[in-house]
Amino acid sequence: MPRRFAEISFTDSVKAQQARYGSREMYHRFELAENSGDVLTEKEIEFIAARDSFYQATVAENGYPYVQFKGGATGFLKVLDSKTLAYGDVRGNRQYISLGNLAVNNRVSLILLDYPNRRRLKVWAQASVIEAEQNPALMLKLQTAGQIVERAIVMTLEAYDWNCPKNITPRFTEQEIQDIFLVPLQSRLSFLEQENQHLKTKLNLV
Ligand SMILES: Cc1cc2nc3c(=O)[nH]c(=O)nc-3n(C[C@H](O)[C@H](O)[C@H](O)COP(=O)(O)O)c2cc1C
């Protein structure tokens, strides 16, 4: 567990609960960890590039957290550099809840899941909203699947942490089912069909 994650997440009230339930001593060690965990490495960059969705939490001015599912083409959440993530905000239901929340509190928390491999990455960042007219080149960079990017959500990384695989049920997209399961099955089936045909011919069954 990286140090920066512990610094952000282990607030005084969290530490009090850890003390109450006996895990404070163990978790205090992570506050002293050498790895700060606030710069993405190749491992996180590859993981992020392979995602087609993530969950994004913002905080409303009334104190409520707000979680929204964000989905798009694979790799639509882009790593601009090892401290910066960004995605293009496209027109949706026009409730603008996350945008409204970001206007009063720019902190975001993301969770990215790789269901087939049961991996998950948590990210903390400070977001800024860049409107299309401010940086048209950035909008083009963030454009995927022909969707018009109305604004960019650019996030400066504060911390990340890999979570354990516990309780992640493997789930597969149609493409993954095709690649992982159906292609080998189809190839096996066609081999068996040919073998069957060959045996029938040999035994004069056809
Ligand atoms: C026409 C339409 C298109 C949408 N496209 C997307 C999309 O590409 N990705 C996505 O995650 N949600 C999409 N949504 C759902 C939400 O509008 C979208 O997640 C939006 O960002 C919600 O933001 P908010 O909950 O912060 O207000 C779409 C909704 C509509 C009505």
PDB file of all heavy atoms in Angstrom, residues 114-120 163-170:
ATOM      1  N   ASP A 114     -11.148  -4.526 -13.589  1.00  0.00           N
ATOM      2  CA  ASP A 114     -10.879  -5.515 -14.636  1.00  0.00           C
ATOM      3  C   ASP A 114     -11.543  -6.789 -14.134  1.00  0.00           C
ATOM      4  O   ASP A 114     -10.962  -7.530 -13.333  1.00  0.00           O
ATOM      5  CB  ASP A 114      -9.354  -5.682 -14.773  1.00  0.00           C
ATOM      6  CG  ASP A 114      -8.974  -6.848 -15.664  1.00  0.00           C
ATOM      7  OD1 ASP A 114      -9.870  -7.520 -16.196  1.00  0.00           O
ATOM      8  OD2 ASP A 114      -7.759  -7.088 -15.814  1.00  0.00           O
ATOM      9  N   TYR A 115     -12.783  -7.018 -14.578  1.00  0.00           N
ATOM     10  CA  TYR A 115     -13.548  -8.152 -14.042  1.00  0.00           C
ATOM     11  C   TYR A 115     -12.965  -9.516 -14.406  1.00  0.00           C
ATOM     12  O   TYR A 115     -12.848 -10.374 -13.528  1.00  0.00           O
ATOM     13  CB  TYR A 115     -15.010  -8.061 -14.500  1.00  0.00           C
ATOM     14  CG  TYR A 115     -15.790  -6.978 -13.805  1.00  0.00           C
ATOM     15  CD1 TYR A 115     -16.032  -5.760 -14.425  1.00  0.00           C
ATOM     16  CD2 TYR A 115     -16.288  -7.161 -12.523  1.00  0.00           C
ATOM     17  CE1 TYR A 115     -16.753  -4.754 -13.789  1.00  0.00           C
ATOM     18  CE2 TYR A 115     -17.001  -6.160 -11.877  1.00  0.00           C
ATOM     19  CZ  TYR A 115     -17.226  -4.961 -12.522  1.00  0.00           C
ATOM     20  OH  TYR A 115     -17.943  -3.980 -11.886  1.00  0.00           O
ATOM     21  N   PRO A 116     -12.567  -9.746 -15.667  1.00  0.00           N
ATOM     22  CA  PRO A 116     -12.070 -11.102 -15.992  1.00  0.00           C
ATOM     23  C   PRO A 116     -10.859 -11.492 -15.147  1.00  0.00           C
ATOM     24  O   PRO A 116     -10.741 -12.633 -14.725  1.00  0.00           O
ATOM     25  CB  PRO A 116     -11.682 -11.005 -17.473  1.00  0.00           C
ATOM     26  CG  PRO A 116     -12.471  -9.872 -18.001  1.00  0.00           C
ATOM     27  CD  PRO A 116     -12.634  -8.905 -16.859  1.00  0.00           C
ATOM     28  N   ASN A 117      -9.968 -10.515 -14.923  1.00  0.00           N
ATOM     29  CA  ASN A 117      -8.742 -10.829 -14.166  1.00  0.00           C
ATOM     30  C   ASN A 117      -8.844 -10.469 -12.688  1.00  0.00           C
ATOM     31  O   ASN A 117      -7.859 -10.562 -11.957  1.00  0.00           O
ATOM     32  CB  ASN A 117      -7.547 -10.122 -14.802  1.00  0.00           C
ATOM     33  CG  ASN A 117      -7.308 -10.602 -16.207  1.00  0.00           C
ATOM     34  OD1 ASN A 117      -7.115 -11.794 -16.422  1.00  0.00           O
ATOM     35  ND2 ASN A 117      -7.374  -9.699 -17.170  1.00  0.00           N
ATOM     36  N   ARG A 118      -9.995 -10.017 -12.275  1.00  0.00           N
ATOM     37  CA  ARG A 118     -10.286  -9.695 -10.874  1.00  0.00           C
ATOM     38  C   ARG A 118      -9.246  -8.728 -10.294  1.00  0.00           C
ATOM     39  O   ARG A 118      -8.621  -8.992  -9.278  1.00  0.00           O
ATOM     40  CB  ARG A 118     -10.395 -10.983 -10.052  1.00  0.00           C
ATOM     41  CG  ARG A 118     -11.448 -11.926 -10.623  1.00  0.00           C
ATOM     42  CD  ARG A 118     -11.509 -13.247  -9.905  1.00  0.00           C
ATOM     43  NE  ARG A 118     -12.090 -13.107  -8.589  1.00  0.00           N
ATOM     44  CZ  ARG A 118     -11.543 -13.649  -7.491  1.00  0.00           C
ATOM     45  NH1 ARG A 118     -10.440 -14.348  -7.583  1.00  0.00           N
ATOM     46  NH2 ARG A 118     -12.098 -13.483  -6.320  1.00  0.00           N
ATOM     47  N   ARG A 119      -9.079  -7.612 -11.014  1.00  0.00           N
ATOM     48  CA  ARG A 119      -8.159  -6.579 -10.517  1.00  0.00           C
ATOM     49  C   ARG A 119      -8.925  -5.265 -10.392  1.00  0.00           C
ATOM     50  O   ARG A 119      -9.821  -4.996 -11.198  1.00  0.00           O
ATOM     51  CB  ARG A 119      -6.993  -6.379 -11.498  1.00  0.00           C
ATOM     52  CG  ARG A 119      -6.126  -7.609 -11.653  1.00  0.00           C
ATOM     53  CD  ARG A 119      -4.887  -7.314 -12.453  1.00  0.00           C
ATOM     54  NE  ARG A 119      -5.209  -6.874 -13.795  1.00  0.00           N
ATOM     55  CZ  ARG A 119      -4.328  -6.317 -14.618  1.00  0.00           C
ATOM     56  NH1 ARG A 119      -3.088  -6.114 -14.230  1.00  0.00           N
ATOM     57  NH2 ARG A 119      -4.688  -5.951 -15.829  1.00  0.00           N
ATOM     58  N   ARG A 120      -8.562  -4.466  -9.418  1.00  0.00           N
ATOM     59  CA  ARG A 120      -9.196  -3.140  -9.299  1.00  0.00           C
ATOM     60  C   ARG A 120      -8.187  -2.121  -8.803  1.00  0.00           C
ATOM     61  O   ARG A 120      -7.326  -2.419  -7.979  1.00  0.00           O
ATOM     62  CB  ARG A 120     -10.435  -3.169  -8.409  1.00  0.00           C
ATOM     63  CG  ARG A 120     -10.176  -3.608  -7.015  1.00  0.00           C
ATOM     64  CD  ARG A 120     -11.469  -3.710  -6.213  1.00  0.00           C
ATOM     65  NE  ARG A 120     -11.351  -4.802  -5.244  1.00  0.00           N
ATOM     66  CZ  ARG A 120     -12.238  -5.073  -4.327  1.00  0.00           C
ATOM     67  NH1 ARG A 120     -13.324  -4.365  -4.236  1.00  0.00           N
ATOM     68  NH2 ARG A 120     -12.067  -6.070  -3.482  1.00  0.00           N
ATOM     69  N   ASN A 163      -6.401  -2.707  -5.160  1.00  0.00           N
ATOM     70  CA  ASN A 163      -7.220  -3.414  -4.187  1.00  0.00           C
ATOM     71  C   ASN A 163      -7.088  -4.915  -4.389  1.00  0.00           C
ATOM     72  O   ASN A 163      -6.761  -5.353  -5.487  1.00  0.00           O
ATOM     73  CB  ASN A 163      -8.674  -3.026  -4.402  1.00  0.00           C
ATOM     74  CG  ASN A 163      -9.319  -2.455  -3.149  1.00  0.00           C
ATOM     75  OD1 ASN A 163     -10.415  -1.952  -3.215  1.00  0.00           O
ATOM     76  ND2 ASN A 163      -8.667  -2.543  -2.026  1.00  0.00           N
ATOM     77  N   CYS A 164      -7.418  -5.682  -3.375  1.00  0.00           N
ATOM     78  CA  CYS A 164      -7.338  -7.134  -3.501  1.00  0.00           C
ATOM     79  C   CYS A 164      -8.505  -7.647  -4.373  1.00  0.00           C
ATOM     80  O   CYS A 164      -9.493  -6.950  -4.570  1.00  0.00           O
ATOM     81  CB  CYS A 164      -7.369  -7.790  -2.129  1.00  0.00           C
ATOM     82  SG  CYS A 164      -8.996  -7.800  -1.407  1.00  0.00           S
ATOM     83  N   PRO A 165      -8.389  -8.886  -4.904  1.00  0.00           N
ATOM     84  CA  PRO A 165      -9.430  -9.390  -5.819  1.00  0.00           C
ATOM     85  C   PRO A 165     -10.692  -9.896  -5.118  1.00  0.00           C
ATOM     86  O   PRO A 165     -11.657 -10.272  -5.781  1.00  0.00           O
ATOM     87  CB  PRO A 165      -8.721 -10.553  -6.529  1.00  0.00           C
ATOM     88  CG  PRO A 165      -7.661 -10.993  -5.594  1.00  0.00           C
ATOM     89  CD  PRO A 165      -7.242  -9.786  -4.808  1.00  0.00           C
ATOM     90  N   LYS A 166     -10.678  -9.862  -3.807  1.00  0.00           N
ATOM     91  CA  LYS A 166     -11.776 -10.483  -3.054  1.00  0.00           C
ATOM     92  C   LYS A 166     -13.147  -9.943  -3.519  1.00  0.00           C
ATOM     93  O   LYS A 166     -13.318  -8.749  -3.708  1.00  0.00           O
ATOM     94  CB  LYS A 166     -11.578 -10.207  -1.560  1.00  0.00           C
ATOM     95  CG  LYS A 166     -12.418 -11.089  -0.675  1.00  0.00           C
ATOM     96  CD  LYS A 166     -11.894 -11.046   0.748  1.00  0.00           C
ATOM     97  CE  LYS A 166     -12.857 -11.524   1.775  1.00  0.00           C
ATOM     98  NZ  LYS A 166     -13.513 -12.755   1.609  1.00  0.00           N
ATOM     99  N   ASN A 167     -14.058 -10.863  -3.666  1.00  0.00           N
ATOM    100  CA  ASN A 167     -15.464 -10.574  -4.008  1.00  0.00           C
ATOM    101  C   ASN A 167     -15.685 -10.010  -5.410  1.00  0.00           C
ATOM    102  O   ASN A 167     -16.775  -9.541  -5.717  1.00  0.00           O
ATOM    103  CB  ASN A 167     -16.111  -9.624  -2.986  1.00  0.00           C
ATOM    104  CG  ASN A 167     -16.213 -10.258  -1.619  1.00  0.00           C
ATOM    105  OD1 ASN A 167     -16.276 -11.474  -1.516  1.00  0.00           O
ATOM    106  ND2 ASN A 167     -16.192  -9.458  -0.580  1.00  0.00           N
ATOM    107  N   ILE A 168     -14.646 -10.018  -6.258  1.00  0.00           N
ATOM    108  CA  ILE A 168     -14.892  -9.613  -7.650  1.00  0.00           C
ATOM    109  C   ILE A 168     -15.271 -10.866  -8.430  1.00  0.00           C
ATOM    110  O   ILE A 168     -14.454 -11.770  -8.608  1.00  0.00           O
ATOM    111  CB  ILE A 168     -13.649  -8.964  -8.310  1.00  0.00           C
ATOM    112  CG1 ILE A 168     -13.154  -7.771  -7.483  1.00  0.00           C
ATOM    113  CG2 ILE A 168     -13.977  -8.524  -9.743  1.00  0.00           C
ATOM    114  CD1 ILE A 168     -11.881  -7.146  -8.009  1.00  0.00           C
ATOM    115  N   THR A 169     -16.512 -10.923  -8.871  1.00  0.00           N
ATOM    116  CA  THR A 169     -16.962 -12.051  -9.698  1.00  0.00           C
ATOM    117  C   THR A 169     -16.452 -11.818 -11.113  1.00  0.00           C
ATOM    118  O   THR A 169     -16.687 -10.742 -11.664  1.00  0.00           O
ATOM    119  CB  THR A 169     -18.505 -12.098  -9.721  1.00  0.00           C
ATOM    120  OG1 THR A 169     -18.955 -12.154  -8.381  1.00  0.00           O
ATOM    121  CG2 THR A 169     -19.015 -13.295 -10.503  1.00  0.00           C
ATOM    122  N   PRO A 170     -15.742 -12.785 -11.696  1.00  0.00           N
ATOM    123  CA  PRO A 170     -15.302 -12.565 -13.076  1.00  0.00           C
ATOM    124  C   PRO A 170     -16.505 -12.359 -13.997  1.00  0.00           C
ATOM    125  O   PRO A 170     -17.481 -13.106 -13.938  1.00  0.00           O
ATOM    126  CB  PRO A 170     -14.560 -13.860 -13.424  1.00  0.00           C
ATOM    127  CG  PRO A 170     -14.209 -14.469 -12.113  1.00  0.00           C
ATOM    128  CD  PRO A 170     -15.308 -14.074 -11.164  1.00  0.00           C
TER     129      PRO A 170
END
